[in-house]
């Protein structure tokens, strides 16, 4: 067999094998690759399982003036509405999915940091910084705002009353 | 060809590349036209923050500086990416040496998909990963001479498709909320991946949620069984698969999955007929 063919077969087999190992929840491969950027390229294939997403996440923010909070406002652009045309053309799916990914990662990291007794470190995580930066940009549209705070709220058609899943610190605008 | 439900590896791979190429073109154009640009500095995942996820991109280095320049304006690489994807589809459609050109074109396409993953995994989904499998398999075998190259690529795509469905099905079977029917009702109740009319229908008909959950699980687990059986049952099964992904696109807005996963079907058909031939001996 040609050397190129042998090499290609070996590489493809190894990659497929790694994909299979990543599927096992307690596999050493998942533990090894789970936290590094290379591991993100390995597919998991566990769509909506074992725990399916059954809530919507919304990012909301509010201004703080003289120790008093203002009303919560939703960042609608982060969770665009679904439309019938989405079956064919759905550019807003990226924002919607990104909001879910960021919210879930922040919630998971907060839980881990809380368990480690270091909940303050949440502000150093990438999802927190992403949301803080985004909120800062929103707040900058209102020059009078000096401080802001953001939150992630969860709801669904089954449970329409929004409940806070994460509330940030108050930051200077 | 199809009258005896077999497909040659080159024909199978061409069909896969056409469907996947069209799907990739759709995804790239969708990314290019978002306003503000999804991958731009005003989007939800600005590079100056996302880069902090990995040490190699967070620290100052020639690589990170190159990525900074590249990612400062996403259209610089998204528009050429669309051109490569379009060229790949066109080459796959053309007869003769077109497939060879398409296999070479899969190399820059795979690199661009890799860049997309480095830029941000936030917002990407399973359709992205399946595109990576398809174009990565073709790219890795692009220079393998003779018929072996397309056979390796088609085989890899088929095996990974079977693994994808099997893992997905088993993960659901292991989940109590999928086994008791709550999962689909819960997913349909969301605005992100749900559908108000479908949610109301599931609530109105007793047992519909349970039926749908088990239908999905059985379909996914049975995929690899159908691939082994081959012939007419596999063709019918793949037809059901197309309908499955169409319904997911309609109900959940996952239009990328329709292209990414159905693109693997021609390779599955060829691999099944190859397996049939081997076992018959």
């Amino acid at each position: 067999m040609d050397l190129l063919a042998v090499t290609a077969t070996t590489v493809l087999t190894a990659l497929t094998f790694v994909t299979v190992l990543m599927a096992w929840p307690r596999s050493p491969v998942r533990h090894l690759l789970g936290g590094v950027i290379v591991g993100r390229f390995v597919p998991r294939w566990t769509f909506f399982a074992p725990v399916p997403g059954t809530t919507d996440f919304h990012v909301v923010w509010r201004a703080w003036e003289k120790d008093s909070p203002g009303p919560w406002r939703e960042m609608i652009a982060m969770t665009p509405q679904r439309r019938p045309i989405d079956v064919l053309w759905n550019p807003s799916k990226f924002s919607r999915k990104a909001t879910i990914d960021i919210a879930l990662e922040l919630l998971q990291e907060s839980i881990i940091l809380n368990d480690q007794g270091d909940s303050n470190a949440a502000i150093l995580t990438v999802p927190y910084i992403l949301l803080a930066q985004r909120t800062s940009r929103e707040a900058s549209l209102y020059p009078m705002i000096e401080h802001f705070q953001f939150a992630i709220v969860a709801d669904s058609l089954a449970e329409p009353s929004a409940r806070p899943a994460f509330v940030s610190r108050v930051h200077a605008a | 060809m199809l009258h005896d439900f077999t497909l040659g590896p080159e024909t199978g791979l061409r069909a896969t590349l056409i469907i996947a190429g069209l799907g990739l073109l759709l995804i790239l154009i969708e990314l290019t036209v978002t306003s503000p640009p999804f991958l731009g500095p005003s989007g939800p995942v600005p590079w100056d923050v996302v880069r902090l996820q990995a040490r190699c991109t967070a620290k100052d280095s020639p690589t990170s500086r190159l990525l900074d320049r590249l990612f400062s304006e996403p259209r610089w690489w998204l528009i050429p990416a669309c051109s490569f994807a379009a060229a790949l589809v066109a080459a796959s459609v053309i007869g003769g040496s077109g497939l060879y050109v398409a296999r070479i074109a899969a190399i820059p396409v795979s690199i661009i998909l890799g860049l997309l993953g480095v830029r941000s995994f936030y917002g990407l989904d399973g359709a992205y990963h399946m595109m990576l499998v398809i174009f990565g398999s073709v790219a890795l075998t692009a220079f393998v001479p003779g018929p072996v190259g397309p056979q390796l690529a088609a085989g890899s795509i088929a095996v990974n498709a079977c693994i994808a469905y099997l893992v997905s099905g088993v993960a659901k079977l292991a989940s109590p909320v999928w086994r008791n029917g709550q999962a689909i009702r819960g997913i349909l109740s969301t605005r992100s991946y749900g559908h108000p009319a479908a949610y109301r229908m599931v609530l109105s008909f007793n047992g519909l949620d349970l039926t749908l959950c088990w239908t999905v699980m059985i379909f996914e687990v049975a995929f690899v069984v159908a691939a082994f059986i081959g012939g007419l049952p596999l063709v019918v099964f793949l037809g059901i698969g197309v309908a499955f992904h169409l319904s997911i696109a309609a109900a959940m807005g996952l239009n990328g999955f329709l292209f990414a996963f159905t693109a693997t079907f021609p390779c599955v058909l060829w691999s099944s007929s190859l397996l049939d031939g081997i076992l018959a001996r």
Side-chain angles (χ1 to χ4, degrees):
Chain A
M1 207 180 183
D2 179 78
L3 179 63
L4 279 170
V6 170
T7 308
T9 307
T10 307
V11 172
L12 287 172
T13 306
L15 289 172
T16 304
F17 194 55
V18 168
T19 304
V20 172
L21 289 176
M22 278 292 262
W24 294 104
R26 291 179 190 81
S27 83
V29 168
R30 188 183 258 203
H31 181 73
L32 194 70
L33 294 178
V36 296
I37 196 161
V38 167
R40 295 186 184 214
F41 287 95
V42 182
R44 309 276 168 110
W45 301 138
T46 50
F47 305 121
F48 296 95
V51 181
T54 55
T55 52
D56 287 308
F57 292 112
H58 306 269
V59 182
V60 297
W61 71 281
R62 63 183 175 184
W64 278 78
E65 283 178 73
K66 293 185 175 67
D67 298 330
S68 290
W72 288 106
R73 315 171 207 223
E74 185 174 354
M75 281 195 260
I76 293 172
M78 292 200 75
T79 44
Q81 293 292 308
R82 291 270 310 279
R83 307 157 309 159
I85 193 103
D86 287 348
V87 61
L88 297 168
W89 177 250
N90 192 6
S92 56
K93 64 176 177 255
F94 301 108
S95 282
R96 239 180 270 121
K97 178 69 167 42
T99 300
I100 294 169
D101 292 340
I102 291 167
L104 283 174
E105 192 172 313
L106 180 55
L107 293 174
Q108 283 162 8
E109 293 196 0
S110 299
I111 291 170
I112 292 169
L113 290 168
N114 270 338
D115 289 345
Q116 293 172 349
D118 196 10
S119 56
N120 289 332
I123 67 167
L124 300 174
T125 60
V126 167
Y128 188 103
I129 297 170
L130 278 170
L131 292 178
Q133 194 196 56
R134 182 60 187 259
T135 310
S136 175
R137 221 183 304 139
E138 287 278 325
S140 68
L141 298 174
Y142 306 86
M144 302 302 291
I145 291 176
E146 292 179 353
H147 297 86
F148 67 84
Q149 183 181 39
F150 69 85
I152 298 170
V153 297
D155 69 1
S156 69
L157 290 172
E159 291 178 59
S161 56
R163 53 204 180 280
F166 181 88
V167 182
S168 79
R169 285 211 221 156
V170 178
H171 295 278
Chain B
M1 182 182 68
L2 273 178
H3 65 271
D4 57 356
F5 309 114
T6 60
L7 209 62
E10 295 197 354
T11 309
L13 197 59
R14 272 182 200 276
T16 289
L17 287 174
I18 290 168
I19 300 167
L22 288 171
L24 179 61
L25 202 50
L26 176 68
I27 289 171
L28 291 172
I29 295 173
E30 284 177 337
L31 273 171
T32 309
V33 303
T34 50
S35 182
F38 176 73
L39 297 175
S42 310
V45 289
W47 173 242
D48 60 349
V49 179
V50 170
R51 64 181 299 175
L52 300 172
Q53 285 185 311
R55 217 169 284 159
C56 57
T57 52
K59 66 181 185 188
D60 185 38
S61 68
T63 309
S64 65
R65 272 181 249 131
L66 176 65
L67 290 175
D68 287 350
R69 277 194 70 83
L70 201 57
F71 294 150
S72 61
E73 177 43 73
R75 290 184 173 105
W76 283 354
W77 49 283
L78 283 175
I79 291 172
C82 292
S83 308
F84 278 120
L88 186 145
V89 172
S92 303
V93 170
I94 293 166
S97 58
L99 180 62
Y100 181 69
V101 172
R103 288 166 64 205
I104 304 294
I107 297 171
V109 165
S110 299
I111 292 170
I112 286 161
L113 281 171
L115 270 178
L116 188 53
V118 170
R119 173 59 184 83
S120 172
F121 267 100
Y122 297 122
L124 300 181
D125 57 22
Y128 166 81
H129 278 116
M130 188 51 86
M131 292 282 182
L132 208 50
V133 165
I134 291 170
F135 293 110
S137 298
V138 177
L140 282 167
T141 56
F143 294 113
V144 176
V148 177
Q151 289 168 352
L152 279 175
S156 170
I157 291 165
V159 166
N160 277 278
C162 289
I163 290 170
Y165 282 106
L166 186 63
V167 167
S168 184
V170 168
K172 291 178 177 74
L173 276 171
S175 166
V177 293
W178 273 96
R179 292 198 306 271
N180 67 19
Q182 284 179 0
I184 282 189
R185 193 181 342 131
I187 293 166
L188 290 175
S189 76
T190 66
R191 288 174 194 81
S192 306
Y193 292 118
H195 196 285
Y199 176 61
R200 281 192 299 271
M201 196 185 307
V202 155
L203 287 181
S204 309
F205 293 95
N206 199 23
L208 180 57
D209 48 2
L210 187 68
T211 306
L212 288 172
C213 280
W214 278 94
T215 304
V216 169
M217 290 188 285
I218 290 169
F219 170 78
E220 290 184 336
V221 171
F223 190 91
V224 69
V225 176
F228 272 96
I229 293 173
L232 177 60
L234 177 59
V235 172
V236 171
F237 194 87
L238 294 180
I240 294 169
V242 173
F244 170 66
H245 285 291
L246 260 170
S247 66
I248 286 173
M252 301 174 71
L254 294 171
N255 58 341
F257 277 70
L258 173 61
F259 289 91
F261 280 78
T262 59
T264 66
F265 291 178
C267 289
V268 170
L269 201 54
W270 169 74
S271 299
S272 176
S273 62
L274 175 73
L275 191 63
D276 226 15
I278 293 169
L279 292 174
R281 284 190 216 134

